[in-house]
Amino acid sequence: MTATPPSHFVEVAIPLPVHQTFTYRVPAGMTEAAQSAGTGAGIQRGCRVVVPFGKRMLTGYVVEVMDSIEETGQSAEELKEVEELLEVVPLISEEMIGLTKWVADYYYAPWGEVLKATLPAGINVDTEWIVSATEEGRQTEKPAPAGGAGSQRARPMRGKVLEAILAQGEVRVADLARTFGKGPVSTALRALEEAGLVRMERRRQRPTVQTRRQQAVRLLDRTEEAEAGKPLGESHQRLLETLRVPPAVAGVLPLSEALSLAEVSPSIVRTLEKRGYVEIFSQVVRRDPLAHLAKGERGSGPESPEGPLVLTEAQTEALRAISEAIDGEAYRAFLLHGVTGSGKTEVYLRAMQWALQKGRSALLLVPEISLTPMVARRLRSHFGDLVAILHSSLSEGERLDEWERLRRGEARICIGARSAVFAPLQNLGLIIIDEEHETSYKQDESPRYHGRDSAIMRASRLGAVVVLGSATPSMESFHNAQTGKYGYLSLAERIGSRAMARVETIDMRTVFARHGRQQIFADELKEAIRETAARGEQSIVLLNRRGYSSFLLCRSCGHTSQCRNCAVTLTYHRQQARLVCHYCNHAERVPQVCPDCHGGFLHYVGEGTEQIEAQLRVLYPELRIGRLDRDTTRRRGAFEKILGEFAAGEIDLLVGTQMIAKGHDFPNVTLVGVISVDAGLGMPDFRAAERTFQLVTQVAGRAGRGEKAGRVLLQSYFPDHYALQYGADQDYNRFYQHEIRYREEMRYPPFAILINILIRHEELARAAATASELASRIKAADRERVLRILGPAAAPRARLKGEHRLQILIKTRHRRAAREALDSALTGLKEGGGDPRLITIDMDPISLM
């Protein structure tokens, strides 16, 4: 009798909110199949596997391969087997396994969810239950009772379910559950299966996205001997000539395109293939997110159409420092502190070019998805097809194709938003994080990692260079530069010695006293818009709040329109004629009378960008006015279309949220007006002043970027606040010195570590009990008394999406001690019957809201 080869064991990370991995047994046949596939090894780390998890089949990620499980204390008989190996060559590299392990540990994130974030969406395999009728079931008009145990009420449901199954032949259980309800369907199917009327089977679903292929035709080289034979007809000659000239590349064209261009039938191609003139083959089709770029725009190095740009002395010095660090092939971090319009992007381009020349690849992170295509076009014009773009707004097919190009080494430069930190670049030597201060680099859902800090760790692990660029660096990054942790590179002047925009603060208290009532626009701003338009120049008006009005108020009884799911007011959107919640997207019609007192004195309070646009159209009917916010850019391509029209001079005045304050360069914009610039100062968040200063400075950078002088008008009811004063002066150093003293006194970052713990549940009592127990356990586990534990208390937004929310905030200088106390508290909570699923942990939170 032949002995069965020993099984191996794998540790698998599952993409679910669980903070552990799971051990599975690998069938011997699966190991042998993997070895015979030409890899010389069995299952490897980084491969995807389908494994049973509870009642489900899930795609997991192999993070360890073991010959023995003795150290785990488990027996092989207790373990479930791997159901399927999805690839023998790992999709996840050893480098990425190490990086994701660090991210999972540092941010208290499930490792499987972090690993899933490294791969293109839609490639995972899922399974589903399919039910079909047996022969007995097809011959039965009414389902028989299951052993007489079923109630009379259950039998009609069994009849409905069986009828639905018979009508379709076979049906997904999930579809039945949607039709009849999950509980009733589960009971009915169990009874029908016991009666032998239906059979259930688990079936693998295809990935939602796959590599696209198409038939193509290739012109073959012919010898003189092969040319002998029957002469070719006119149609044959026409097709051959089509393959010899553009758009054919190396004699290759998609088959459908070749037939169309040559105006021939498929039989012509088949004849030429039989006679050895052409070859028909299948080729991968690249779904290029920048396919609309003209080939003439693509280049091979950082230079303008007029020739290489001449760097300033400060740019040259910054590039020299970065290039020398790349040559050193060791980890270095730099803060590139450059005022708006100082030419940071040109330094980025030259640094990436240097990395490529040294055989390394480069990664450029930008804070907003909306900015990615614009910057990508500029990179593509310099580096051609060496550039790949990765962000979540791409189609699944585009993202897969770009990801594969990076993995194969065909693309050596990647640009993308936060998730591109996991791009599978080969021999990565340079990471650039543009606008490093932006809060959008922190993911606000699981896994809650910070793209900037994860990129710094990736560079550190690889011996790469990382450059953090900003006109308004985060307090943490500037502090690191001041203490020598980062190298400091400064670009203190604009290109061409252009003057910074002149910033003026308008005291809205004076405006109120002048008019006797609140005004949306100060007289100074209205006159400035008129003067700017008369000169043929463009204006921007920013209000960081979308919608038409903040909420609806009854002047009779004081009733305000509240979201039914969240403890927030509903925002009025006039174009939709709806009251909308900006947190859960609940929407309802605008009432004609007050729901409480039935009075008709309803008043819209506050203003948003929709109202600002409408008011400006009344004030300036002769101007072409556009709006840029999340409402106007929902459709793909809308963001670029609006900005393109503004850049082309087809829009005179652009209204928008802070989307228009970031990274745009419009030489003809000479006026920027900011409505309610101080609104963020009232937020219960220690970063409120920093964010206001950054917004003022960044938006001021949109004006006067050409040869014409720029002017910025800030409307404020708190003009004496230091964030506004230093922002108006665009004096980062003075703001930093003021803010850093406050941070140190109050023990906020960078002088302390914050951990924000959120406890959520539909029942307030359940959330409160869990929060109280968790806080007590954390305090008990803090044996060294190095943690300052605040709360539990109601979160600033005490109810969202139907759940009550409480917070516990930990302040400490000792990250390891905090982690150990948190681990102990969560373990004790779980062992005591508590539910860890109610708890969300946010390490290094960007916002405490």
Side-chain angles (χ1 to χ4, degrees):
M1 184 175 180
T2 305
T4 303
S7 297
H8 292 282
F9 306 92
V10 290
E11 203 69 18
V12 178
I14 303 292
L16 290 175
V18 290
H19 293 270
Q20 67 183 94
T21 56
F22 301 89
T23 309
Y24 289 87
R25 187 172 67 251
V26 181
M30 188 177 294
T31 301
E32 292 171 346
Q35 290 172 337
S36 64
T39 63
I43 293 183
Q44 301 177 64
R45 281 163 42 105
C47 288
R48 295 175 304 147
V49 288
V50 177
V51 293
F53 191 82
K55 296 181 179 181
R56 305 161 62 185
M57 285 287 181
L58 298 176
T59 299
Y61 312 98
V62 176
V63 295
E64 199 60 64
V65 180
M66 304 168 290
D67 291 325
S68 170
I69 56 170
E70 291 180 1
E71 295 182 2
T72 68
Q74 298 172 291
S75 65
E77 291 74 21
E78 295 175 336
L79 299 179
K80 296 180 179 180
E81 284 192 342
V82 173
E83 185 77 14
E84 185 176 359
L85 174 64
L86 295 180
E87 64 265 334
V88 294
V89 178
L91 281 186
I92 303 172
S93 67
E94 286 291 334
E95 183 233 327
M96 202 53 62
I97 290 175
L99 177 64
T100 54
K101 176 61 174 170
W102 177 86
V103 170
D105 289 343
Y106 188 89
Y107 292 105
Y108 220 95
W111 195 3
E113 290 189 348
V114 183
L115 285 164
K116 183 179 180 180
T118 70
L119 298 175
I123 67 169
N124 276 345
V125 172
D126 205 350
T127 58
E128 60 185 353
W129 283 105
I130 302 294
V131 59
S132 59
T134 62
E135 183 63 32
E136 184 178 352
R138 286 193 291 272
Q139 296 175 0
T140 303
E141 294 185 6
K142 294 183 179 180
S151 68
Q152 292 299 319
R153 271 183 297 180
R155 290 173 190 164
M157 177 56 69
R158 292 201 295 270
K160 294 176 183 177
V161 171
L162 181 56
E163 184 179 344
I165 296 169
L166 291 172
Q168 300 182 53
E170 62 179 29
V171 61
R172 298 168 66 243
V173 172
D175 292 338
L176 290 173
R178 274 193 291 270
T179 303
F180 300 109
K182 186 175 181 180
V185 162
S186 178
T187 302
L189 288 177
R190 192 180 308 116
L192 290 169
E193 191 175 24
E194 290 175 0
L197 302 179
V198 301
R199 67 171 62 88
M200 306 271 291
E201 64 174 321
R202 193 186 298 275
R203 189 173 298 173
R204 171 179 166 179
Q205 292 177 311
R206 296 178 61 188
T208 58
V209 60
Q210 294 177 318
T211 301
R212 182 184 294 174
R213 306 188 71 88
Q214 69 178 5
Q215 280 196 309
V217 57
R218 177 189 293 122
L219 184 66
L220 299 177
D221 292 333
R222 296 276 308 215
T223 63
E224 291 185 8
E225 291 78 10
E227 291 290 348
K230 183 179 178 181
L232 295 176
E234 180 184 346
S235 297
H236 301 92
Q237 293 285 6
R238 193 163 61 246
L239 178 61
L240 294 177
E241 184 59 30
T242 299
L243 295 173
R244 293 189 180 105
V245 298
V249 178
V252 176
L253 274 177
L255 181 57
S256 58
E257 186 176 350
L259 295 176
S260 175
L261 290 172
E263 298 181 343
V264 298
S265 67
S267 62
I268 299 296
V269 185
R270 287 194 292 271
T271 300
L272 288 173
E273 184 181 33
K274 289 178 182 178
R275 297 183 60 179
Y277 285 91
V278 300
E279 175 190 14
I280 299 175
F281 65 101
S282 175
Q283 69 175 5
V284 173
V285 179
R286 177 186 169 197
R287 290 156 286 199
D288 185 358
L290 298 177
H292 55 282
L293 272 182
K295 292 183 179 179
E297 294 181 60
R298 307 186 181 198
S300 58
E303 58 183 46
S304 71
E306 294 78 24
L309 295 174
V310 178
L311 299 184
T312 65
E313 184 177 342
Q315 286 177 308
T316 301
E317 179 58 28
L319 180 61
R320 182 195 61 77
I322 297 168
S323 301
E324 288 180 356
I326 293 172
D327 291 345
E329 298 186 355
Y331 166 71
R332 285 291 306 278
F334 294 98
L335 174 63
L336 180 60
H337 184 189
V339 299
T340 55
S342 61
K344 293 187 293 294
T345 303
E346 190 63 29
V347 175
Y348 299 160
L349 292 171
R350 302 291 179 109
M352 286 188 280
Q353 179 73 20
W354 189 262
L356 292 185
Q357 291 174 0
K358 296 298 179 179
R360 309 293 292 272
S361 60
L363 170 63
L364 172 59
L365 297 180
V366 295
E368 295 283 351
I369 289 173
S370 56
L371 295 176
T372 312
M374 292 180 290
V375 183
R377 278 200 301 273
R378 185 168 180 184
L379 287 181
R380 184 68 67 85
S381 70
H382 289 305
F383 300 109
D385 286 337
L386 288 177
V387 177
I389 177 173
L390 280 183
H391 60 74
S392 58
S393 285
L394 300 182
S395 70
E396 288 186 345
E398 289 171 339
R399 188 173 174 86
L400 173 63
D401 291 352
E402 295 291 88
W403 187 86
E404 287 285 5
R405 291 179 63 235
L406 290 165
R407 191 166 77 102
R408 293 192 299 263
E410 296 171 7
R412 297 171 56 202
I413 293 176
C414 177
I415 175 174
R418 178 180 59 232
S419 61
V421 70
F422 300 119
L425 283 154
Q426 307 296 310
N427 196 21
L428 183 58
L430 174 66
I431 301 178
I432 297 168
I433 306 162
D434 191 30
E435 307 294 357
E436 64 84 26
H437 65 277
E438 283 288 348
T439 58
S440 54
Y441 280 121
K442 180 68 184 287
Q443 181 148 301
D444 59 4
E445 59 186 22
S446 185
R448 287 176 169 77
Y449 66 93
H450 199 299
R452 178 197 63 203
D453 297 343
S454 299
I456 293 170
M457 177 53 63
R458 186 176 185 185
S460 174
R461 296 171 66 92
L462 290 175
V465 175
V466 61
V467 178
L468 294 81
S470 177
T472 55
S474 65
M475 297 295 292
E476 293 87 342
S477 293
F478 196 78
H479 181 73
N480 284 337
Q482 295 293 295
T483 56
K485 188 174 181 179
Y486 298 162
Y488 182 71
L489 306 173
S490 176
L491 303 178
E493 295 183 356
R494 282 183 161 181
I495 295 293
S497 299
R498 293 172 185 151
M500 301 294 289
R502 185 175 83 257
V503 182
E504 306 165 33
T505 303
I506 302 172
D507 189 341
M508 294 303 289
R509 297 171 298 185
T510 303
V511 175
F512 183 91
R514 186 189 310 152
H515 291 271
R517 58 189 178 89
Q518 186 174 346
Q519 299 289 305
I520 296 178
F521 306 107
D523 300 327
E524 296 90 332
L525 178 57
K526 289 190 286 189
E527 182 60 28
I529 292 173
R530 190 172 290 108
E531 292 173 354
T532 301
R535 295 193 301 267
E537 297 164 2
Q538 293 170 294
S539 304
I540 289 175
V541 173
L542 182 145
L543 172 63
N544 201 23
R545 186 168 54 243
R546 62 190 176 98
Y548 191 87
S549 293
S550 301
F551 61 93
L552 188 63
L553 170 72
C554 175
R555 286 178 165 173
S556 296
C557 69
H559 170 82
T560 58
S561 52
Q562 296 278 330
C563 175
R564 66 177 64 171
N565 305 314
C566 311
V568 297
T569 56
L570 296 173
T571 302
Y572 173 51
H573 288 250
R574 190 170 73 170
Q575 190 170 1
Q576 302 174 29
R578 289 286 189 273
L579 296 172
V580 180
C581 176
H582 287 175
Y583 294 94
C584 71
N585 293 323
H586 166 74
E588 55 189 56
R589 292 181 178 179
V590 180
Q592 300 301 309
V593 296
C594 175
D596 279 2
C597 71
H598 305 292
F601 299 99
L602 299 178
H603 177 61
Y604 295 104
V605 179
E607 58 276 336
T609 49
E610 190 180 5
Q611 183 177 165
I612 296 297
E613 178 192 19
Q615 296 279 358
L616 289 171
R617 288 187 185 279
V618 173
L619 288 171
Y620 309 103
E622 73 282 3
L623 296 186
R624 297 166 296 179
I625 298 174
R627 175 162 56 96
L628 190 74
D629 56 27
R630 195 179 302 175
D631 294 328
T632 61
T633 58
R634 292 187 186 279
R635 296 181 61 181
R636 188 176 183 185
F639 183 91
E640 290 184 271
K641 181 177 183 294
I642 295 169
L643 284 184
E645 292 173 349
F646 191 51
E650 298 170 12
I651 295 175
D652 303 308
L653 193 160
L654 183 63
V655 178
T657 58
Q658 63 178 352
M659 295 171 72
I660 61 178
K662 301 174 182 177
H664 308 301
D665 192 347
F666 303 111
N668 197 40
V669 171
T670 58
L671 174 67
V672 174
V674 187
I675 313 295
S676 301
V677 67
D678 44 27
L681 293 173
M683 296 292 182
D685 195 328
F686 73 95
R687 297 185 195 272
E690 180 183 10
R691 287 179 181 146
T692 300
F693 172 83
Q694 288 169 342
L695 178 62
V696 170
T697 306
Q698 291 288 336
V699 76
R702 299 315 109 207
R705 295 178 72 93
E707 299 300 327
K708 305 167 186 175
R711 185 185 183 193
V712 180
L713 299 179
L714 309 176
Q715 296 188 173
S716 172
Y717 283 94
F718 306 101
D720 299 328
H721 195 283
Y722 67 93
L724 295 181
Q725 290 183 335
Y726 295 139
D729 295 338
Q730 299 181 66
D731 191 336
Y732 180 87
N733 288 318
R734 290 179 65 195
F735 171 78
Y736 172 80
Q737 294 301 330
H738 189 291
E739 183 72 6
I740 203 71
R741 289 195 297 270
Y742 158 70
R743 298 283 183 95
E744 188 170 18
E745 289 172 6
M746 300 303 295
R747 294 179 62 187
Y748 280 121
F751 300 103
I753 296 158
L754 296 186
I755 304 173
N756 192 31
I757 305 171
L758 188 67
I759 301 92
R760 303 172 299 173
H761 197 269
E762 294 175 357
E763 299 176 9
L764 178 58
R766 177 83 180 275
T770 301
S772 178
E773 182 181 356
L774 181 60
S776 297
R777 290 185 179 275
I778 295 172
K779 291 174 183 176
D782 179 23
R783 297 180 179 86
E784 299 177 24
R785 297 294 181 264
V786 293
L787 308 183
R788 186 180 180 193
I789 302 164
L790 306 177
R797 297 186 180 102
R799 188 167 176 265
L800 283 183
K801 299 180 181 179
E803 295 179 321
H804 296 276
R805 308 163 81 242
L806 291 95
Q807 280 181 335
I808 301 170
L809 183 66
I810 299 177
K811 285 184 178 182
T812 184
R813 295 176 183 268
H814 306 274
R815 188 180 294 273
R816 183 181 295 277
R819 180 61 187 265
E820 290 173 355
L822 198 51
D823 285 340
S824 174
L826 289 171
T827 300
L829 180 75
K830 186 176 181 181
E831 291 174 350
D835 189 353
R837 292 175 297 181
L838 277 58
I839 299 167
T840 299
I841 298 171
D842 191 3
M843 308 292 289
D844 301 337
I846 289 297
S847 171
L848 301 180
M849 297 297 288

